[in-house]
Amino acid sequence: MSLLSGKKGLILGVANDHSIAWGIANAASNAGAQLAFTYQSESFEKRVKPLAKAAGSQIVLPCDVTDDNSIGAVFSALEEEWGRLDFVVHSVAYSNKNELNGGYTETTRENFLRTLDISCFSFTALAKRSAPLMAKGGSLITLTYSGAERVMPNYNVMGVAKAALEASVKYLAADLGPRAIRVNAISAGPMRTLAGSAIGGAREVYNWNKEFSPLRRNTVLDDVGGAGLYLLSDLAAGVSGEVMHVDSGFNVVGVPDLLRYRDD
Ligand code: NAD
């Protein structure tokens, strides 16, 4: 399969081999893409470098998305190494763990701003930097969760950040569409990752999704990998501004079929 052969892509958000970014990177690499990776800080470097190597990547750079200079350095390096870019995967989010538990009302101003900066604004900052390198068009994807659309326990300020992120996808799609740059989001079902496990009650939400999603199973890395591959490839040439659910169909369920647990 060579859906992405000849394409060059930047992957942000690999922390380890459970990361959603890694699932998409793996699928992209298997489909022939050349990849560059970033890691948040030194503590992630030792985990990201071997994965990047496994994906045949020569470019592995630090990037803290709260720092414009750090983002700038990544794009300067890509311009020098590649001179162009075909796609970006933004799989980055953060909120203080203490506020991913309990009520949304308790959100502090400081954590609200930090959460929105890292989990939402950073995608817009990346889009702005990417566009000049995408003279022949491109594809930008980000990761969201249905806690943007409906209330999920303990998701709190992250739900607000994801709602803003999903709105950003639409505005960016409108801004960049005339330059043939497509902007989409994947709304993944709950997965056992570093970020996922920071949310209070993650295990219960995970089990609930498994029990009541139409496919009766949880989302796995290959699911998001395949969806990412589609959105990054020319198969999705006509798709932009979309939030695509990859959640075993859970988002379509209103009231779960609790009757199947009744004996009478
Ligand atoms: P993960 O912990 O593997 O990835 C989160 C990444 O964000 C990490 O690589 C971390 O280094 C990075 N990050 C955080 N702050 C950063 C900063 N300041 N600068 C640069 N990078 C920073 O967890 P994941 O579940 O793979 O999360 C990836 C994306 O998927 C997130 O946007 C998350 O909200 C989203 N998502 C996750 C789930 C889930 O259940 N795990 C479901 C839907 C959406």
Side-chain angles (χ1 to χ4, degrees):
M1 196 151 97
S2 56
L3 275 176
L4 298 182
S5 73
K7 296 202 190 277
K8 298 178 191 300
L10 172 64
I11 312 281
L12 295 100
V14 177
N16 54 42
D17 61 356
H18 298 288
S19 295
I20 292 176
W22 175 243
I24 298 173
N26 208 18
S29 161
N30 288 337
Q34 233 181 309
L35 302 177
F37 288 83
T38 68
Y39 55 89
Q40 183 188 347
S41 59
E42 266 177 34
S43 56
F44 290 99
E45 184 178 3
K46 61 178 181 303
R47 271 177 267 155
V48 177
K49 283 205 159 155
L51 292 171
K53 196 174 168 199
S57 172
Q58 314 283 336
I59 309 174
V60 190
L61 301 161
C63 183
D64 182 334
V65 297
T66 60
D67 177 356
D68 285 334
N69 293 330
S70 179
I71 296 176
V74 170
F75 283 89
S76 301
L78 291 183
E79 189 164 13
E80 203 174 302
E81 292 282 334
W82 287 344
R84 54 170 255 260
L85 190 60
D86 297 296
F87 63 83
V88 176
V89 175
H90 170 270
S91 187
V92 167
Y94 172 81
S95 186
N96 185 330
K97 199 173 186 291
N98 297 333
E99 296 190 16
L100 295 173
N101 219 326
Y104 173 66
T105 324
E106 301 306 316
T107 306
T108 60
R109 185 189 303 268
E110 189 197 356
N111 186 49
F112 183 96
L113 296 174
R114 190 163 171 75
T115 303
L116 270 283
D117 184 18
I118 295 174
S119 316
C120 173
F121 176 74
S122 62
F123 186 54
T124 300
L126 292 173
K128 186 176 179 180
R129 290 284 190 160
S130 302
L133 289 177
M134 295 180 162
K136 291 186 177 165
S139 174
L140 308 175
I141 61 175
T142 186
L143 270 299
T144 184
Y145 176 55
S146 55
E149 304 160 70
R150 295 176 296 162
V151 174
M152 298 294 174
N154 302 309
Y155 204 56
N156 299 343
V157 63
M158 192 57 89
V160 175
K162 293 300 193 191
L165 180 67
E166 291 183 13
S168 305
V169 165
K170 295 176 185 138
Y171 279 89
L172 291 169
D175 276 5
L176 300 175
R179 296 156 79 168
I181 300 171
R182 301 181 291 104
V183 187
N184 294 290
I186 293 173
S187 185
M191 296 172 69
R192 291 176 195 252
T193 64
L194 215 56
S197 62
I199 300 153
R203 183 192 298 264
E204 282 72 26
V205 170
Y206 185 84
N207 290 339
W208 181 268
N209 276 253
K210 182 175 179 185
E211 196 81 27
F212 296 114
S213 64
L215 296 180
R216 302 281 191 269
R217 67 171 179 85
N218 278 121
T219 306
V220 296
L221 276 190
D222 281 349
D223 296 329
V224 277
L229 176 57
Y230 162 71
L231 288 173
L232 297 177
S233 79
D234 294 342
L235 288 179
V239 180
S240 195
E242 194 70 41
V243 176
M244 189 164 91
H245 292 87
V246 181
D247 63 350
S248 304
F250 183 78
N251 71 96
V252 305
V253 176
V255 177
D257 182 12
L258 296 167
L259 291 179
R260 60 188 158 96
Y261 290 96
R262 280 176 48 169
D263 294 334
D264 51 325

